[in-house]
Amino acid sequence: EIKVSALENELGTTYSCDTIKALKQQFSDYNFVWLMGADNLVQFDKWKSWEDIAHMLPLAIFDRDGYKKKALSCCFAKKFIDSKVEFASDLMSGKLPSWHFIDIKKHPASSSEIRDNNL
């Protein structure tokens, strides 16, 4: 189940790495997977503590139109090439870092439209 929320406001965090740490502390009995579009993966190495994020939880990367080639050759993909798993189900193996590229039919709405309109 996926729910859209203002969680970072509630937790008082600004950066994703801090949000992840807070979530893992607050919900220690849960296993999380970071969902990210390929367009964000391309510039992931610009994020605060991006390498730490890769070691905190598995990443599921969803293809976005025009980004597959860039994403699979970006800084993150090169650095963590040995951590790429063949199947999404392998993300929950417990071994980190772990990531999987998911090539699926694209939804026409942007993530902003989905958040704003609860699509």
Side-chain angles (χ1 to χ4, degrees):
E1 179 177 335
I2 298 174
K3 294 181 182 180
V4 178
S5 73
L7 184 65
E8 289 180 321
N9 289 338
E10 295 168 23
L11 293 172
T13 58
T14 302
Y15 296 102
S16 296
C17 60
D18 298 329
T19 301
I20 294 165
K21 287 177 192 172
L23 283 172
K24 289 182 69 131
Q25 286 177 347
Q26 190 170 348
F27 300 100
S28 59
D29 292 338
Y30 290 85
N31 295 313
F32 293 96
V33 175
W34 187 262
L35 306 179
M36 176 185 286
D39 53 329
N40 277 316
L41 187 69
V42 170
Q43 48 86 37
F44 191 43
D45 62 311
K46 309 286 189 274
W47 291 27
K48 179 184 179 200
S49 303
W50 67 279
E51 292 172 318
D52 293 339
I53 292 172
H55 287 92
M56 286 191 260
L57 72 175
L59 286 78
I61 313 301
F62 289 85
D63 193 11
R64 298 290 295 264
D65 282 336
Y67 282 93
K68 182 175 183 175
K69 186 175 180 179
K70 291 177 191 174
L72 293 175
S73 63
C74 73
C75 182
F76 172 89
K78 289 177 183 175
K79 180 168 184 70
F80 292 105
I81 188 66
D82 293 334
S83 302
K84 186 174 184 281
V85 297
E86 186 174 356
F87 303 104
S89 59
D90 294 335
L91 287 172
M92 300 313 292
S93 69
K95 182 181 174 191
L96 295 173
S98 176
W99 66 285
H100 178 72
F101 191 87
I102 301 170
D103 194 2
I104 61 168
K105 181 180 176 188
K106 294 11 163 237
H107 190 285
S110 70
S111 57
S112 297
E113 288 173 316
I114 292 169
R115 279 191 300 274
D116 294 343
N117 300 308
N118 291 321
L119 295 178

